Amino acid sequence: MTGDDAEVAAWISAATERITAYTQQLFEPTPLVVVADVAPGGLVLLPRRVRSVTTVAPVLDGDAGTSLPATAYRVTSSDVLGGVDAVHLRWGGYDDLIVGAESYNGGWRGLFDRWGAEQARITGEFGYAEVPPLVAQACALLAAHVQAQAAPSDADSTQAPGLNVDDEGNNVRIEDKADDQDEPLPPSASTGNTQVDALLIGYLNRGHSMIGGI
């Protein structure tokens, strides 16, 4: 890649977005709010590698209800070999000071059953602890590829400054958005570079795609 620090950072950001859309993974710890379905047994499969969970609440009429205490669920993560990224609800526990969650009412499990919530809202930190070497290599390769694709032709040289497009006409220049993006990146079938796709094949997460709060 060529250019000053800001330009290089922009190409890396463009490559990172493509890699995130392709793999549906997060390669650094990222705070997220996830809404996911609750299976009949109380299992909530999470769409990304979970590092920690701070709150779990049922989704009632589109809004989050009362947060559950940590005794009402447990968290497992694929960060542990053989583990699955999930929150396991109805793990037991009760609170005789909370109406409906008393021990004689079935505790938190009984309360969750009576809520009838089909989804849970989980707040926590998701992603890899650090960027895997292959992903870092793929990002550098893709950033150079995107920059080369976006190099303007003579006919494009009169375009408005700051607009860079790829060979399909997509604007690939990354503006400073102060991390205010709320919508998840839709899954992509490719990063646009087959060599990069091959490097990332071991990191694909196609099992779950619903996520919010990025």
Side-chain angles (χ1 to χ4, degrees):
M1 286 181 292
T2 59
D4 58 29
D5 290 347
E7 290 172 335
V8 170
W11 295 122
I12 291 175
S13 294
T16 299
E17 284 196 6
R18 288 197 185 189
I19 289 172
T20 299
Y22 176 60
T23 62
Q24 292 294 290
Q25 296 277 18
L26 297 168
F27 294 107
E28 60 182 5
T30 305
L32 291 178
V33 177
V34 174
V35 174
D37 292 338
V38 179
L43 177 67
V44 184
L45 292 175
L46 301 174
R48 301 293 184 274
R49 175 171 292 196
V50 61
R51 308 206 60 77
S52 62
V53 168
T54 53
T55 63
V56 176
V59 176
L60 306 172
D61 297 325
D63 297 320
T66 303
S67 294
L68 299 175
T71 56
Y73 61 87
R74 68 185 179 101
V75 180
T76 58
S77 173
S78 62
D79 202 31
V80 177
L81 184 62
V84 60
D85 296 302
V87 168
H88 306 255
L89 300 175
R90 309 171 183 176
W91 189 246
Y94 61 88
D95 190 334
D96 285 338
L97 299 179
I98 302 295
V99 176
E102 303 93 344
S103 56
Y104 52 82
N105 261 336
W108 291 106
R109 173 172 182 168
L111 181 57
F112 200 90
D113 284 339
R114 286 187 290 279
W115 277 332
E118 297 181 350
Q119 291 185 314
R121 181 171 297 176
I122 293 98
T123 302
E125 187 177 67
F126 295 77
Y128 282 68
E130 57 186 17
V131 181
L134 277 181
V135 176
Q137 180 181 350
C139 186
L141 181 63
L142 184 58
H145 173 77
V146 173
Q147 183 186 38
Q149 279 189 316
S153 65
D154 292 339
D156 295 328
S157 62
T158 58
Q159 290 186 116
L163 179 64
N164 289 311
V165 296
D166 61 18
D167 56 2
E168 296 179 348
N170 299 310
N171 182 14
V172 297
R173 184 175 181 84
I174 303 301
E175 304 294 341
D176 183 7
K177 300 181 181 178
D179 296 326
D180 60 353
Q181 182 178 343
D182 292 323
E183 295 299 320
L185 292 173
S188 173
S190 172
T191 62
N193 182 295
T194 55
Q195 185 178 358
V196 172
D197 291 353
L199 287 174
L200 298 173
I201 194 70
Y203 297 96
L204 296 184
N205 176 22
R206 296 307 192 199
H208 311 292
S209 61
M210 181 178 63
I211 193 165
I214 294 180

mmCIF file of all heavy atoms in Angstrom, residues 99-120:
data_model
loop_
_atom_site.group_PDB
_atom_site.id
_atom_site.type_symbol
_atom_site.label_atom_id
_atom_site.label_comp_id
_atom_site.label_asym_id
_atom_site.label_seq_id
_atom_site.Cartn_x
_atom_site.Cartn_y
_atom_site.Cartn_z
ATOM 1 N N VAL A 99 -40.900 -10.670 43.137
ATOM 2 C CA VAL A 99 -42.192 -11.303 42.884
ATOM 3 C C VAL A 99 -42.112 -12.175 41.638
ATOM 4 O O VAL A 99 -41.735 -11.714 40.559
ATOM 5 C CB VAL A 99 -43.297 -10.243 42.708
ATOM 6 C CG1 VAL A 99 -44.630 -10.908 42.356
ATOM 7 C CG2 VAL A 99 -43.440 -9.412 43.973
ATOM 8 N N GLY A 100 -42.452 -13.431 41.792
ATOM 9 C CA GLY A 100 -42.422 -14.373 40.677
ATOM 10 C C GLY A 100 -41.159 -15.184 40.594
ATOM 11 O O GLY A 100 -41.116 -16.209 39.915
ATOM 12 N N ALA A 101 -40.088 -14.722 41.268
ATOM 13 C CA ALA A 101 -38.807 -15.442 41.228
ATOM 14 C C ALA A 101 -38.513 -16.130 42.546
ATOM 15 O O ALA A 101 -37.386 -16.563 42.786
ATOM 16 C CB ALA A 101 -37.672 -14.483 40.869
ATOM 17 N N GLU A 102 -39.546 -16.248 43.415
ATOM 18 C CA GLU A 102 -39.335 -16.882 44.709
ATOM 19 C C GLU A 102 -39.048 -18.370 44.551
ATOM 20 O O GLU A 102 -39.400 -18.988 43.545
ATOM 21 C CB GLU A 102 -40.590 -16.697 45.592
ATOM 22 C CG GLU A 102 -40.992 -15.255 45.812
ATOM 23 C CD GLU A 102 -42.025 -14.779 44.795
ATOM 24 O OE1 GLU A 102 -42.199 -15.442 43.762
ATOM 25 O OE2 GLU A 102 -42.655 -13.743 45.059
ATOM 26 N N SER A 103 -38.444 -18.939 45.544
ATOM 27 C CA SER A 103 -38.085 -20.356 45.500
ATOM 28 C C SER A 103 -39.318 -21.230 45.339
ATOM 29 O O SER A 103 -39.284 -22.233 44.616
ATOM 30 C CB SER A 103 -37.330 -20.736 46.784
ATOM 31 O OG SER A 103 -38.106 -20.409 47.938
ATOM 32 N N TYR A 104 -40.415 -20.856 45.984
ATOM 33 C CA TYR A 104 -41.640 -21.667 45.899
ATOM 34 C C TYR A 104 -42.408 -21.446 44.596
ATOM 35 O O TYR A 104 -43.378 -22.128 44.326
ATOM 36 C CB TYR A 104 -42.562 -21.374 47.097
ATOM 37 C CG TYR A 104 -42.864 -19.907 47.311
ATOM 38 C CD1 TYR A 104 -43.855 -19.257 46.590
ATOM 39 C CD2 TYR A 104 -42.127 -19.173 48.245
ATOM 40 C CE1 TYR A 104 -44.116 -17.911 46.789
ATOM 41 C CE2 TYR A 104 -42.394 -17.837 48.451
ATOM 42 C CZ TYR A 104 -43.390 -17.196 47.722
ATOM 43 O OH TYR A 104 -43.648 -15.864 47.927
ATOM 44 N N ASN A 105 -41.950 -20.475 43.779
ATOM 45 C CA ASN A 105 -42.574 -20.226 42.477
ATOM 46 C C ASN A 105 -41.724 -20.758 41.327
ATOM 47 O O ASN A 105 -41.999 -20.473 40.173
ATOM 48 C CB ASN A 105 -42.800 -18.728 42.272
ATOM 49 C CG ASN A 105 -44.232 -18.326 42.582
ATOM 50 O OD1 ASN A 105 -45.137 -19.163 42.508
ATOM 51 N ND2 ASN A 105 -44.438 -17.072 42.935
ATOM 52 N N GLY A 106 -40.699 -21.496 41.648
ATOM 53 C CA GLY A 106 -39.827 -22.022 40.594
ATOM 54 C C GLY A 106 -38.612 -21.179 40.322
ATOM 55 O O GLY A 106 -37.851 -21.456 39.389
ATOM 56 N N GLY A 107 -38.419 -20.130 41.140
ATOM 57 C CA GLY A 107 -37.235 -19.305 40.984
ATOM 58 C C GLY A 107 -37.193 -18.585 39.642
ATOM 59 O O GLY A 107 -38.216 -18.296 39.028
ATOM 60 N N TRP A 108 -35.984 -18.275 39.190
ATOM 61 C CA TRP A 108 -35.822 -17.540 37.938
ATOM 62 C C TRP A 108 -36.303 -18.345 36.742
ATOM 63 O O TRP A 108 -36.822 -17.787 35.777
ATOM 64 C CB TRP A 108 -34.361 -17.150 37.755
ATOM 65 C CG TRP A 108 -33.927 -16.123 38.745
ATOM 66 C CD1 TRP A 108 -33.128 -16.327 39.839
ATOM 67 C CD2 TRP A 108 -34.301 -14.747 38.768
ATOM 68 N NE1 TRP A 108 -32.980 -15.151 40.534
ATOM 69 C CE2 TRP A 108 -33.682 -14.169 39.905
ATOM 70 C CE3 TRP A 108 -35.088 -13.948 37.943
ATOM 71 C CZ2 TRP A 108 -33.837 -12.827 40.223
ATOM 72 C CZ3 TRP A 108 -35.239 -12.608 38.259
ATOM 73 C CH2 TRP A 108 -34.612 -12.063 39.386
ATOM 74 N N ARG A 109 -36.179 -19.652 36.807
ATOM 75 C CA ARG A 109 -36.666 -20.473 35.703
ATOM 76 C C ARG A 109 -38.184 -20.333 35.580
ATOM 77 O O ARG A 109 -38.721 -20.166 34.487
ATOM 78 C CB ARG A 109 -36.295 -21.936 35.921
ATOM 79 C CG ARG A 109 -36.916 -22.858 34.883
ATOM 80 C CD ARG A 109 -36.391 -24.259 34.980
ATOM 81 N NE ARG A 109 -36.974 -25.099 33.943
ATOM 82 C CZ ARG A 109 -36.539 -26.303 33.630
ATOM 83 N NH1 ARG A 109 -35.509 -26.810 34.271
ATOM 84 N NH2 ARG A 109 -37.100 -27.001 32.675
ATOM 85 N N GLY A 110 -38.889 -20.410 36.700
ATOM 86 C CA GLY A 110 -40.331 -20.275 36.659
ATOM 87 C C GLY A 110 -40.758 -18.903 36.171
ATOM 88 O O GLY A 110 -41.730 -18.770 35.409
ATOM 89 N N LEU A 111 -40.033 -17.851 36.593
ATOM 90 C CA LEU A 111 -40.363 -16.507 36.162
ATOM 91 C C LEU A 111 -40.167 -16.357 34.664
ATOM 92 O O LEU A 111 -40.995 -15.762 33.967
ATOM 93 C CB LEU A 111 -39.505 -15.493 36.917
ATOM 94 C CG LEU A 111 -39.763 -14.017 36.585
ATOM 95 C CD1 LEU A 111 -41.219 -13.655 36.835
ATOM 96 C CD2 LEU A 111 -38.832 -13.115 37.389
ATOM 97 N N PHE A 112 -39.084 -16.901 34.151
ATOM 98 C CA PHE A 112 -38.833 -16.795 32.719
ATOM 99 C C PHE A 112 -39.926 -17.527 31.939
ATOM 100 O O PHE A 112 -40.380 -17.063 30.898
ATOM 101 C CB PHE A 112 -37.462 -17.372 32.369
ATOM 102 C CG PHE A 112 -36.931 -16.872 31.048
ATOM 103 C CD1 PHE A 112 -36.155 -15.721 30.990
ATOM 104 C CD2 PHE A 112 -37.215 -17.531 29.863
ATOM 105 C CE1 PHE A 112 -35.677 -15.251 29.786
ATOM 106 C CE2 PHE A 112 -36.740 -17.064 28.654
ATOM 107 C CZ PHE A 112 -35.967 -15.912 28.615
ATOM 108 N N ASP A 113 -40.356 -18.679 32.441
ATOM 109 C CA ASP A 113 -41.443 -19.409 31.789
ATOM 110 C C ASP A 113 -42.712 -18.561 31.752
ATOM 111 O O ASP A 113 -43.422 -18.526 30.743
ATOM 112 C CB ASP A 113 -41.720 -20.723 32.520
ATOM 113 C CG ASP A 113 -40.669 -21.783 32.228
ATOM 114 O OD1 ASP A 113 -39.982 -21.667 31.199
ATOM 115 O OD2 ASP A 113 -40.530 -22.707 33.044
ATOM 116 N N ARG A 114 -42.999 -17.892 32.842
ATOM 117 C CA ARG A 114 -44.225 -17.089 32.899
ATOM 118 C C ARG A 114 -44.120 -15.843 32.021
ATOM 119 O O ARG A 114 -45.127 -15.347 31.516
ATOM 120 C CB ARG A 114 -44.541 -16.711 34.346
ATOM 121 C CG ARG A 114 -45.093 -17.889 35.160
ATOM 122 C CD ARG A 114 -45.550 -17.450 36.544
ATOM 123 N NE ARG A 114 -44.447 -17.084 37.403
ATOM 124 C CZ ARG A 114 -43.697 -17.972 38.068
ATOM 125 N NH1 ARG A 114 -43.928 -19.277 37.960
ATOM 126 N NH2 ARG A 114 -42.712 -17.568 38.843
ATOM 127 N N TRP A 115 -42.917 -15.321 31.866
ATOM 128 C CA TRP A 115 -42.752 -14.197 30.942
ATOM 129 C C TRP A 115 -43.097 -14.610 29.516
ATOM 130 O O TRP A 115 -43.625 -13.821 28.751
ATOM 131 C CB TRP A 115 -41.299 -13.708 30.965
ATOM 132 C CG TRP A 115 -40.989 -12.771 32.092
ATOM 133 C CD1 TRP A 115 -41.848 -11.923 32.730
ATOM 134 C CD2 TRP A 115 -39.718 -12.583 32.702
ATOM 135 N NE1 TRP A 115 -41.194 -11.218 33.704
ATOM 136 C CE2 TRP A 115 -39.885 -11.591 33.719
ATOM 137 C CE3 TRP A 115 -38.454 -13.145 32.513
ATOM 138 C CZ2 TRP A 115 -38.833 -11.164 34.516
ATOM 139 C CZ3 TRP A 115 -37.419 -12.726 33.311
ATOM 140 C CH2 TRP A 115 -37.592 -11.742 34.303
ATOM 141 N N GLY A 116 -42.795 -15.840 29.157
ATOM 142 C CA GLY A 116 -43.052 -16.304 27.807
ATOM 143 C C GLY A 116 -42.198 -15.624 26.753
ATOM 144 O O GLY A 116 -42.594 -15.535 25.579
ATOM 145 N N ALA A 117 -41.035 -15.156 27.139
ATOM 146 C CA ALA A 117 -40.162 -14.451 26.197
ATOM 147 C C ALA A 117 -39.530 -15.439 25.222
ATOM 148 O O ALA A 117 -39.036 -16.488 25.619
ATOM 149 C CB ALA A 117 -39.076 -13.692 26.950
ATOM 150 N N GLU A 118 -39.539 -15.092 23.944
ATOM 151 C CA GLU A 118 -38.941 -15.940 22.916
ATOM 152 C C GLU A 118 -37.537 -15.491 22.540
ATOM 153 O O GLU A 118 -36.831 -16.197 21.831
ATOM 154 C CB GLU A 118 -39.833 -15.950 21.672
ATOM 155 C CG GLU A 118 -41.210 -16.558 21.920
ATOM 156 C CD GLU A 118 -42.061 -16.571 20.674
ATOM 157 O OE1 GLU A 118 -41.662 -15.947 19.657
ATOM 158 O OE2 GLU A 118 -43.132 -17.206 20.704
ATOM 159 N N GLN A 119 -37.145 -14.303 23.000
ATOM 160 C CA GLN A 119 -35.813 -13.796 22.713
ATOM 161 C C GLN A 119 -35.215 -13.203 23.986
ATOM 162 O O GLN A 119 -35.933 -12.815 24.909
ATOM 163 C CB GLN A 119 -35.853 -12.717 21.624
ATOM 164 C CG GLN A 119 -36.221 -13.236 20.245
ATOM 165 C CD GLN A 119 -36.127 -12.141 19.202
ATOM 166 O OE1 GLN A 119 -36.605 -11.031 19.413
ATOM 167 N NE2 GLN A 119 -35.497 -12.444 18.073
ATOM 168 N N ALA A 120 -33.890 -13.153 23.988
ATOM 169 C CA ALA A 120 -33.170 -12.531 25.096
ATOM 170 C C ALA A 120 -32.220 -11.489 24.533
ATOM 171 O O ALA A 120 -31.690 -11.637 23.425
ATOM 172 C CB ALA A 120 -32.395 -13.574 25.887
#
